[in-house]
Amino acid sequence: AEHPELLRAANRQMFALAANAPCQVVEFVTVILLFSRRATIEGRVIYMFSVALDSLTNIILVILLSGALRRETDDDKAAQEAGLRRAEKQRRSAAAYEVCADVGWQGAVETLAHRGLTLDKLLAFYKRLPELMPHFSPDVHTTNDVVRQAIIPESADQKCSMALKMMDGKTVRPQKMVTHNWSNLFRDLVACIVSDALNESTFGLVADLLDFDMPALERMLDAKALKKSYWVCAFSVNQHQSICAHNPARTVDPKTGVEHPVCSCGATVYFNNTPPLREIDSKSIHCQMNKFDDMMSFLSAADSNFSQVIAVDRAFGLFNRAWCVAELAAADNMGMRQHLKLASHEAMHDEEATRHLKALNVEQMQAARAEDVQEILAKIHDIPAFNAHLQELLFGEQGLFDRWQNFDVLEQEAEVGRLALFADTLARRAMFATSISSRLGDDKSPSSNNVSEATPVRIGRGHAEDETKVASAV
């Protein structure tokens, strides 16, 4: 029940086994006859026939389960038409793109646009989190916590974006932009990005592997997937020119209760009204937070395949954040492909969440800085029309959720192999947990408490290493 995707994959596998069972029985019986004293020419013929029948059945089942013979439905035709409309919108948007006449502004846009990072670097950073942030807990700490206590301190020596440091100073034009809210668990943000690289529409299973068995997850990612590049504001924006010296909301670490630290790097922080200003609208040239739309336009015009990954948190809080909603609308207007990532296939059955989403109003959305909300609202000339467009974007025919729920059957079947590995890993996790429980029993000594707290989730190591540590501790 926790992972219904595995149940669906198991159902398909059971269908294949049931269909193939008669062939296996015939083959088994003929093998017995073949090696008995009753072996005859007829027996050998029957055996060869059963082998051929078994092979033919396997081929037919592969074809049927792959969806290759599936008839095109009205939904398929609607999806194809929507895809053509999107591609035409992207083509027109790219053709209409013009560089900014202000050289300084355009230079800042292009600099920001080339701060992508590859998936392998992101996973390497995630595995280092226990070192950078020793009290990090995957199911507690948010992206904001990690930015304040790991990303900013780690990049303070160079006063640069974390992406630039992670990529060893090399600029990278990203293939995708990740839209996410900082109140989301950082573990889930990483899981969304990994899920995208694996062409998964949900991230719950990947999050489990990040917690329990990173080596198994890395084995699922080939070299091409690990080199996919993403633009993620937490890493790609230079936080030393944006927020590092201030914590106006006095946010605290949810685990320690200690207020998030501020940085003493001394870098100049640029707000939207910090000189020098662009002449046409008096916006700061060096501020990065006012250039997201321009950056998206630049990247989409340069690459027709540039797309957006929408990392939806489990509470659907992303849709309450002004910047996130503005990015969704901007990407749609530019004809960018949009890839929605939800925790599970059951997430959309949450009636309360759905009811809340259908009542969204851009005027009620939030941002870390009040000036950001005003910046976004100033770009919207007709708020009721924008709200109506937002509903169409989310719930309309071929909207984000409609496309997500009806993603191609072939794509669903491609999940089967990965789901089998997920199932194996989760089963081994359950066996390991049972083993630990049986070893520790009801012992409440300090040493056993330390082991029980450490074993459920450890980043960057597999169960074998965990078992060794538990054994030595016990």
Side-chain angles (χ1 to χ4, degrees), residues 117-408:
L117 68 154
T118 53
L119 180 59
D120 59 342
K121 297 293 186 180
L122 177 62
L123 290 176
F125 173 85
Y126 189 77
K127 289 191 288 187
R128 284 190 62 211
L129 265 181
E131 169 195 340
L132 301 175
M133 188 177 163
H135 62 292
F136 175 73
S137 180
D139 57 355
V140 172
H141 286 110
T142 67
T143 299
N144 185 53
D145 296 319
V146 172
V147 169
R148 290 289 186 176
Q149 299 176 90
I151 290 177
I152 289 176
E154 181 64 9
S155 56
D157 58 337
Q158 298 181 27
K159 303 179 185 180
C160 66
S161 69
M162 190 65 201
L164 194 63
K165 183 170 183 177
M166 290 164 68
M167 299 306 298
D168 301 317
K170 298 177 182 177
T171 58
V172 175
R173 192 177 75 187
Q175 297 166 302
K176 298 184 179 183
M177 174 183 182
V178 181
T179 291
H180 66 106
N181 55 312
W182 283 26
S183 58
N184 190 13
L185 292 176
F186 182 72
R187 185 268 321 275
D188 285 356
L189 168 63
V190 175
C192 284
I193 297 172
V194 175
S195 297
D196 180 77
L198 290 170
N199 295 317
E200 293 284 336
S201 60
T202 60
F203 66 83
L205 293 170
V206 173
D208 279 343
L209 289 183
L210 283 172
D211 278 356
F212 174 70
D213 202 340
M214 177 75 83
L217 181 60
E218 290 178 315
R219 288 195 296 272
M220 298 172 65
L221 295 160
D222 58 23
K224 183 178 180 180
L226 288 170
K227 290 304 177 183
K228 287 185 177 181
S229 55
Y230 297 86
W231 195 97
V232 186
C233 66
F235 292 91
S236 303
V237 168
N238 185 349
Q239 306 300 342
H240 300 282
Q241 294 182 352
S242 304
I243 65 168
C244 83
H246 307 280
N247 181 10
R250 305 195 69 173
T251 55
V252 301
D253 181 280
K255 192 172 182 180
T256 65
V258 177
E259 189 171 313
H260 287 147
V262 294
C263 181
S264 59
C265 69
T268 302
V269 175
Y270 294 94
F271 297 105
N272 199 29
N273 58 355
T274 304
L277 306 177
R278 186 166 64 166
E279 185 175 347
I280 60 172
D281 54 13
S282 298
K283 292 182 180 179
S284 174
I285 291 176
H286 297 308
C287 176
Q288 298 170 63
M289 308 305 292
N290 59 11
K291 296 180 176 63
F292 284 11
D293 284 1
D294 287 2
M295 180 200 72
M296 293 170 68
S297 296
F298 170 79
L299 289 170
S300 181
D303 178 8
S304 61
N305 291 317
F306 180 68
S307 57
Q308 179 184 47
V309 176
I310 306 167
V312 182
D313 58 296
R314 297 172 192 261
F316 290 85
L318 174 141
F319 298 101
N320 291 322
R321 307 304 296 179
W323 274 122
C324 296
V325 170
E327 289 172 12
L328 295 184
D332 178 64
N333 290 335
M334 295 172 198
M336 289 170 53
R337 290 185 177 87
Q338 296 175 292
H339 308 284
L340 198 66
K341 305 298 174 184
L342 301 182
S344 71
H345 288 278
E346 276 54 53
M348 276 308 298
H349 297 310
D350 187 333
E351 294 182 3
E352 183 178 350
T354 302
R355 185 165 53 251
H356 172 72
L357 291 176
K358 290 184 176 180
L360 288 177
N361 184 339
V362 68
E363 292 180 295
Q364 298 174 357
M365 293 177 187
Q366 304 168 339
R369 304 187 307 175
E371 64 183 275
D372 291 339
V373 177
Q374 297 306 316
E375 166 80 11
I376 293 166
L377 290 177
K379 298 178 181 179
I380 302 174
H381 303 294
D382 187 337
I383 288 178
F386 180 90
N387 287 333
H389 174 68
L390 178 60
Q391 290 299 313
E392 182 67 20
L393 173 61
L394 295 179
F395 295 105
E397 184 179 355
Q398 294 304 314
L400 288 175
F401 289 117
D402 185 59
R403 293 201 305 271
W404 182 86
Q405 289 177 314
N406 296 290
F407 74 108
D408 188 74

